[in-house]
Amino acid sequence: MVGTTLVLSLIVIAVLGQLLVGRIADGLLEAKIEASLVEARAGLTQAQAQVAASDRSDPIADDRLVDQIAVQLANRGSSTPRLFDVLLLSASPGTPQRGSNLVSETSVPLRLRAAVARDQIQAWTYTTIAYTDGRPSVTGLSVGAPLSVPGVGAYELYYLFPLTQEQETLDLVRRLLAVAGAALVLLLGAIAWLVTRQVVTPVRLAARTAEQFSAGRLEERMAVDGEDDLAALATSFNQMAGSLQKQIRQLEDLSRVQRRFVADVSHELRTPLTTVRMAADVLHEARDGFDPATARSAELLQTQLDRFEELLTELLEISRFDAGAAVLDVEPVDLRDVVRRVCEGTEPLADRKDVEVRTKMPPDRCLVYADPRRLERILRNLVVNAIEHAEARPVDIEIACDEHAVAVGVRDHGVGLRPGEASLVFNRFWRADPARARTTGGTGLGLAIALEDARLHGGWLQAWGQPGDGAHFRLTLPRRALEDFTESPLPLEPPDARSVRRMPLSVGARPRSQDG
């Protein structure tokens, strides 16, 4: 506001100052022109009277008369500073000029001489007054009129009025306006600062209170002073803060109850699950003696119990994240060793799905300070997810590191992700198609837990996908847990990604997408 006020004030004052200077200059010139014309007419009248009273019988006396006229007229303007100079120019070529103060004949413009000679009336114009002794030229007015001297010939009488005093007056006015304008701009800026401060201070207090409120200090309120608009704003803000505080506490209580319920249920289910697991193991071991339908039921029971047990484990882990109880057990880890262990652990699944897992690792060690258990769980979730959706195509795992961060990219060439699904795959129990049953063996919590593990390290877990061209999941971790970094050593979009414009999907094809 202060800056805008200063700029606008400066523009307005500059425009007004320019207009004012222009009007003052016009007024000074009009007064100067009027006074100059009056003086020139008076001098012409004096010269004509002197010619009428002179002795015309002596030609030499007529020539001296011209000199006397020039001297007398020049003496009228010989004050300090000099008011004007006089030039008597003969219409006959070769006749010497008569003038005062060594004024050059070039001071009279040729167009003015032509107008005086043609119309035989008084005329004027602006000119530059030059001197024969080398003095600097000055801007002035040239007023001319015809003068006839019997016995000598036709002459032209020119008055040259310098505009030096008017220029000095105009310069003084400009300086005064500049000083007054600068002072006025500063004064307006100070007023704008005071007014803005009165308005902004309560807004700053509101912003500070909002920051404290967002930081968890729900009891913070604004001070209400007076009954103006800002007081109404403070009252509304306090009412909103009170309502938000009440709702936040209700949500916190509800979330706390939900987290405890999930943790308690997950924990309490372990005892009956253990009993059921023991009975299922007995049935599974004895399935060869059952009829085919009963044997198949024992196998299905064993498989679903495995999923149920995995789901309980992941629910307990999610509840720890929600309760803020998850902690890191950090130690230096070579990322290459973790990837090798994950590849070995997922090799049976890859063989069953007929998927080739290819790795690209740097030759040197890629050390990162991380929790090895959580790091291995992230990578296992990503690799298993890629194998499940690779559709018998290869899965590529690439490791890259720089001075500040390390990254692992897991790339499959399977069904891919539709637009907008890359931000949804990490949601809990998310499915691309809610009508589909979960048949791949996952619980729907693997990627959500992987995202929480990455955040716990202060890192990123991001996804890219394109229908029919597979997906790329990129894990980026700082070299030391919770350190800041700005970019990943691996690009999120893989270099081998196909352009949708160059390789469009077949008409009518609806590619499936990966589940969370």
Side-chain angles (χ1 to χ4, degrees):
M1 288 295 295
V2 174
T4 302
T5 301
L6 288 174
V7 172
L8 294 179
S9 301
L10 186 62
I11 294 174
V12 171
I13 291 176
V15 173
L16 292 178
Q18 191 67 25
L19 293 176
L20 184 59
V21 169
R23 294 300 300 272
I24 293 175
D26 292 342
L28 289 174
L29 289 177
E30 289 176 2
K32 183 67 175 180
I33 292 171
E34 184 177 354
S36 300
L37 293 177
V38 171
E39 178 65 32
R41 281 195 291 267
L44 181 62
T45 301
Q46 178 183 350
Q48 289 176 342
Q50 189 173 355
V51 169
S54 63
D55 183 10
R56 301 176 183 175
S57 59
D58 187 2
I60 298 177
D62 290 338
D63 195 42
R64 288 198 301 269
L65 176 62
V66 175
D67 293 333
Q68 291 175 0
I69 291 173
V71 171
Q72 291 180 0
L73 294 179
N75 290 335
R76 291 168 58 93
S78 61
S79 62
T80 304
R82 196 172 183 86
L83 297 178
F84 57 84
D85 293 306
V86 177
L87 272 178
L88 269 175
L89 301 180
S90 174
S92 302
T95 303
Q97 69 172 16
R98 272 86 166 178
S100 62
N101 200 24
L102 300 178
V103 177
S104 173
E105 183 179 351
T106 58
S107 301
V108 180
L110 295 178
R111 64 179 183 278
L112 179 61
R113 295 196 64 180
V116 171
R118 182 183 65 252
D119 300 333
Q120 291 296 303
I121 59 174
Q122 187 183 58
W124 69 273
T125 187
Y126 293 106
T127 187
T128 300
I129 303 176
Y131 300 93
T132 58
D133 58 353
R135 279 178 290 167
S137 302
V138 296
T139 303
L141 290 174
S142 179
V143 182
L147 175 65
S148 177
V149 181
V152 178
Y155 275 85
E156 298 161 6
L157 175 61
Y158 293 97
Y159 276 76
L160 302 173
F161 297 91
L163 298 176
T164 306
Q165 291 183 346
E166 287 72 17
Q167 185 63 46
E168 292 176 353
T169 302
L170 196 59
D171 292 340
L172 177 61
V173 171
R174 285 197 179 99
R175 288 194 295 270
L176 291 176
L177 286 177
V179 173
L184 184 57
V185 168
L186 293 177
L187 181 60
L188 290 174
I191 294 174
W193 181 80
L194 290 174
V195 174
T196 306
R197 183 179 178 83
Q198 292 179 352
V199 176
V200 169
T201 299
V203 177
R204 287 177 177 171
L205 293 176
R208 190 176 302 116
T209 304
E211 290 175 357
Q212 295 173 350
F213 194 85
S214 63
R217 301 177 61 180
L218 304 181
E219 71 282 355
E220 290 294 329
R221 297 292 185 271
M222 287 183 61
V224 180
D225 185 14
E227 298 180 355
D228 56 3
D229 293 336
L230 293 176
L233 172 63
T235 302
S236 300
F237 182 88
N238 291 339
Q239 293 174 353
M240 178 192 67
S243 176
L244 287 176
Q245 181 183 12
K246 181 180 179 181
Q247 295 181 22
I248 288 173
R249 286 178 175 171
Q250 291 176 350
L251 291 174
E252 287 177 346
D253 294 339
L254 178 60
S255 177
R256 191 179 303 111
V257 170
Q258 289 176 340
R259 290 197 302 267
R260 183 163 185 175
F261 175 78
V262 171
D264 291 345
V265 168
S266 301
H267 181 73
E268 292 299 328
L269 284 177
R270 283 196 171 275
T271 300
L273 179 61
T274 303
T275 304
V276 175
R277 163 65 72 183
M278 294 173 60
D281 288 342
V282 172
L283 293 175
H284 189 265
E285 291 295 332
R287 69 184 184 279
D288 293 337
F290 300 154
D291 59 89
T294 306
R296 178 57 180 164
S297 298
E299 293 176 355
L300 291 176
L301 178 61
Q302 186 76 7
T303 303
Q304 295 305 313
L305 280 173
D306 290 339
R307 290 190 60 197
F308 190 28
E309 206 168 42
E310 183 181 358
L311 176 60
L312 282 179
T313 303
E314 293 184 348
L315 282 174
L316 284 172
E317 188 66 25
I318 284 290
S319 66
R320 293 191 190 98
F321 284 118
D322 291 340
V327 294
L328 288 176
D329 186 11
V330 177
E331 61 182 68
V333 179
D334 189 350
L335 199 55
R336 301 177 304 170
D337 295 338
V338 179
V339 171
R340 292 190 187 101
R341 289 197 300 269
V342 169
C343 291
E344 291 174 0
T346 56
E347 186 175 356
L349 176 62
D351 293 340
R352 190 165 64 251
K353 295 287 186 178
D354 194 22
V355 173
E356 178 188 3
V357 178
R358 303 179 297 194
T359 59
K360 180 181 179 182
M361 303 186 189
D364 300 326
R365 298 178 66 191
C366 191
L367 285 180
V368 57
Y369 284 82
D371 187 329
R373 180 180 66 86
R374 296 183 184 276
L375 181 56
E376 186 171 341
R377 181 168 61 189
I378 296 173
L379 296 179
R380 184 173 62 252
N381 282 326
L382 296 182
V383 174
V384 169
N385 184 72
I387 294 173
E388 293 282 3
H389 298 85
E391 295 189 334
R393 299 189 182 109
V395 171
D396 298 315
I397 304 175
E398 182 178 0
I399 298 177
C401 53
D402 59 22
E403 183 180 355
H404 303 287
V406 298
V408 181
V410 180
R411 168 86 161 104
D412 68 76
H413 302 271
V415 294
L417 296 168
R418 290 192 293 265
E421 292 182 348
S423 60
L424 300 176
V425 292
F426 301 106
N427 293 348
R428 300 174 186 180
F429 302 108
W430 179 82
R431 297 181 188 177
D433 186 355
R436 281 177 47 198
R438 196 179 297 278
T439 59
T440 60
T443 64
L445 292 174
L447 292 180
I449 292 176
L451 179 62
E452 295 295 341
D453 282 332
R455 288 175 176 172
L456 196 61
H457 286 83
W460 307 334
L461 182 56
Q462 299 161 294
W464 170 92
Q466 187 169 287
D469 195 22
H472 182 226
F473 287 81
R474 181 183 68 180
L475 171 66
T476 309
L477 299 179
R479 283 281 195 173
R480 293 185 178 272
L482 303 179
E483 282 189 349
D484 292 334
F485 62 96
T486 57
E487 59 182 353
S488 176
L490 281 178
L492 181 59
E493 182 175 346
D496 62 346
R498 294 179 298 176
S499 172
V500 177
R501 292 186 297 272
R502 286 188 286 110
M503 301 188 67
L505 296 174
S506 301
V507 177
R510 185 189 179 201
R512 293 179 290 112
S513 296
Q514 299 179 11
D515 294 347

